[in-house]
Amino acid sequence: MIIKTPTSHTFVTGSSEGYTPLNAFDGALLAAGIGNTNLVKMSSIVPPGTREVPITELVLPPGALVPVAYAAMESDIPGSMICAAVAAAWPTDPAKPGLIMEYHAHGHREDAESVVRRMAEEGMRKRGWEVKTLKSMAIDHRVEKIGAAFAAVVLWDL
Amino acid sequence: MIIKTPTSHTFVTGSSEGYTPLNAFDGALLAAGIGNTNLVKMSSIVPPGTREVPITELVLPPGALVPVAYAAMESDIPGSMICAAVAAAWPTDPAKPGLIMEYHAHGHREDAESVVRRMAEEGMRKRGWEVKTLKSMAIDHRVEKIGAAFAAVVLWDL
Amino acid sequence: MIIKTPTSHTFVTGSSEGYTPLNAFDGALLAAGIGNTNLVKMSSIVPPGTREVPITELVLPPGALVPVAYAAMESDIPGSMICAAVAAAWPTDPAKPGLIMEYHAHGHREDAESVVRRMAEEGMRKRGWEVKTLKSMAIDHRVEKIGAAFAAVVLWDL
């Protein structure tokens, strides 16, 4: 094993305006409650048997390296609507892992959430696994000057 | 040391159609035998002295965080050909690491493989190292609706 | 904890020409002194209390997995000027982490450095934190055929 396999997962979303697109992204991470950590982007599996932890219980040390699967959308078009969504699907067999899908676009959160849920269902179908649980979270943001929307599944060891 | 340095490496390729480009990418990972893990993308060195392990021997725990160097190409143009390739070059001095290069494009696997091998050779020349071994793997995929091609060197500790 | 939190940080820059954009990027990493490691890109916090280590003291094992926040710019337009810059801002409260910002563009290093410093200041303002220290590093590169410029904050455990 190179890196410890996570034992908990948390859904978060956030959005923000910012001085630059990266500042808006940083602000969205802060709004999501994970802005003072080092996100390491990964593709996109929930290990079997993780416990879901609400973001309020997730105490991440500042500067910790945190594995996340995320969707992010940035725009500098004032008035435009941007959205980001994540979904995770778990199979009936508890020995099998969950599958995370991410989606970002222009548009409204309902649309993004609908797409990303379907993506997770399709991923389970590809594996030949029946879906037992499907959870999703989405956010949208009306851009004032420069904005970002962010949705993630955070993996951690609690 | 922050993260354990890997001790083995494995070449894999896969391709797939999918409901969205991300689903096609996910399907390509499944075809490559690493679809139920969390890929952490990295740039692109094989530590000295790793053992090559065939994918059939590589048992990755579901949801494990797995460091990989990879090339991926997605397309939604029906009929188009897409390809992905990786190469690793090792120097004559066994104390020195190997260098991985990645390449993706429209086109055929032979072309991608030829390019990526040359890239690895050029990287060794840049270091002033003589090439002892050069290994590569490539794949192409004829897109039906939405497709992905994927080639990777997986690092692990076995 | 999934991955050990780093205890030291180092600012580096490098630039290079290369056979392809990825080879130029690889050459820039070599010029920066971290070309024989596996960079794992992360967003972008310096843990509290890290020690600054000069690159000359930073001995990274070949092939080690190294967390970095970085900016990179590549171009194949002969004669064009490209630049990359990073800045880190630390708050007056030593229990709080530092914030890293990255910026790349066409143009000169002075301009990139000015932008990225302002980005870090804005990120601190977003957090409601007063800036105690602000450090930055930038590089530019005149492209001959295919070039890359790279600036990073490397985190490590020394």
Side-chain angles (χ1 to χ4, degrees):
Chain A
M1 195 79 52
I2 303 290
I3 302 170
K4 191 175 186 316
T5 299
T7 58
S8 67
H9 69 271
T10 305
F11 283 76
V12 295
T13 58
S15 71
S16 179
E17 292 288 303
Y19 169 65
T20 66
L22 184 56
N23 282 275
F25 177 75
D26 177 54
L29 299 188
L30 287 169
I34 55 175
N36 289 318
T37 63
N38 282 310
L39 303 189
V40 178
K41 194 173 168 74
M42 43 150 236
S43 79
S44 293
I45 296 293
V46 190
T50 58
R51 183 166 69 90
E52 179 158 4
V53 174
I55 179 65
T56 50
E57 277 184 32
L58 187 70
V59 182
L60 298 167
L65 291 156
V66 178
V68 288
Y70 71 78
M73 180 78 189
E74 290 142 30
S75 171
D76 59 0
I77 302 175
S80 66
M81 187 69 113
I82 55 176
C83 54
V86 286
W90 283 269
T92 45
D93 180 351
K96 291 189 164 60
L99 172 67
I100 306 168
M101 284 279 164
E102 311 98 33
Y103 181 67
H104 64 273
H106 285 278
H108 291 258
R109 54 168 289 185
E110 300 78 26
D111 300 327
E113 193 160 7
S114 163
V115 169
V116 81
R117 291 175 70 91
R118 177 77 187 275
M119 290 170 70
E121 288 169 340
E122 293 288 339
M124 297 296 275
R125 185 166 306 141
K126 190 89 173 181
R127 284 163 174 77
W129 297 352
E130 201 186 332
V131 178
K132 183 186 177 194
T133 313
L134 177 61
K135 173 157 181 169
S136 55
M137 197 174 275
I139 192 167
D140 54 25
H141 176 79
R142 180 76 68 185
V143 176
E144 292 168 34
K145 287 181 67 180
I146 297 175
F150 173 82
V153 179
V154 178
L155 299 184
W156 197 240
D157 183 35
L158 276 185
Chain B
M1 195 79 52
I2 303 289
I3 302 169
K4 191 174 187 315
T5 299
T7 58
S8 66
H9 69 272
T10 305
F11 284 74
V12 295
T13 57
S15 71
S16 179
E17 292 287 304
Y19 170 64
T20 65
L22 185 55
N23 282 278
F25 177 75
D26 177 53
L29 300 188
L30 286 170
I34 56 175
N36 289 319
T37 64
N38 283 310
L39 303 188
V40 179
K41 194 174 169 72
M42 42 150 237
S43 78
S44 293
I45 295 293
V46 190
T50 58
R51 183 166 68 92
E52 181 160 3
V53 174
I55 179 64
T56 49
E57 279 185 31
L58 188 69
V59 182
L60 298 168
L65 292 155
V66 178
V68 288
Y70 71 78
M73 180 77 188
E74 289 141 31
S75 171
D76 59 0
I77 302 175
S80 66
M81 188 69 115
I82 56 176
C83 54
V86 286
W90 284 269
T92 46
D93 180 350
K96 290 190 164 60
L99 172 66
I100 307 167
M101 285 280 164
E102 311 97 33
Y103 181 66
H104 64 273
H106 284 276
H108 291 258
R109 53 168 289 186
E110 300 78 27
D111 300 327
E113 193 159 8
S114 163
V115 169
V116 82
R117 291 175 70 91
R118 177 77 187 276
M119 290 169 69
E121 287 169 341
E122 292 288 339
M124 297 296 275
R125 185 166 305 140
K126 191 88 174 183
R127 284 163 174 77
W129 297 353
E130 201 186 332
V131 178
K132 184 185 177 197
T133 314
L134 178 60
K135 172 157 182 170
S136 54
M137 197 174 276
I139 192 168
D140 53 24
H141 176 78
R142 180 77 67 184
V143 176
E144 291 168 36
K145 288 181 66 179
I146 298 175
F150 173 84
V153 179
V154 178
L155 299 184
W156 197 240
D157 183 35
L158 275 186
Chain C
M1 195 80 52
I2 303 290
I3 303 170
K4 192 175 186 313
T5 299
T7 58
S8 67
H9 70 271
T10 304
F11 284 74
V12 295
T13 57
S15 71
S16 179
E17 292 286 305
Y19 169 65
T20 65
L22 184 56
N23 282 276
F25 177 76
D26 177 53
L29 299 188
L30 286 169
I34 56 174
N36 289 319
T37 63
N38 283 311
L39 303 188
V40 178
K41 194 172 169 72
M42 44 151 237
S43 78
S44 295
I45 296 293
V46 190
T50 58
R51 183 166 68 90
E52 180 159 4
V53 174
I55 179 65
T56 49
E57 280 184 30
L58 188 69
V59 182
L60 298 168
L65 291 155
V66 178
V68 288
Y70 72 77
M73 180 77 187
E74 291 141 31
S75 171
D76 59 0
I77 302 175
S80 66
M81 188 69 114
I82 56 177
C83 54
V86 287
W90 283 269
T92 46
D93 180 351
K96 290 190 165 60
L99 173 67
I100 307 168
M101 283 280 164
E102 311 98 33
Y103 181 67
H104 64 273
H106 285 276
H108 291 258
R109 53 167 288 184
E110 302 77 27
D111 300 326
E113 193 158 8
S114 162
V115 169
V116 81
R117 291 175 70 90
R118 176 77 186 277
M119 289 170 71
E121 287 168 342
E122 293 287 339
M124 297 297 274
R125 186 166 305 140
K126 189 90 175 181
R127 285 163 173 76
W129 297 352
E130 201 186 333
V131 177
K132 184 184 177 196
T133 314
L134 178 60
K135 172 156 182 170
S136 55
M137 197 173 277
I139 192 167
D140 54 23
H141 176 79
R142 181 75 69 184
V143 176
E144 292 168 34
K145 287 182 66 181
I146 298 175
F150 173 84
V153 179
V154 179
L155 300 184
W156 198 241
D157 182 36
L158 275 185

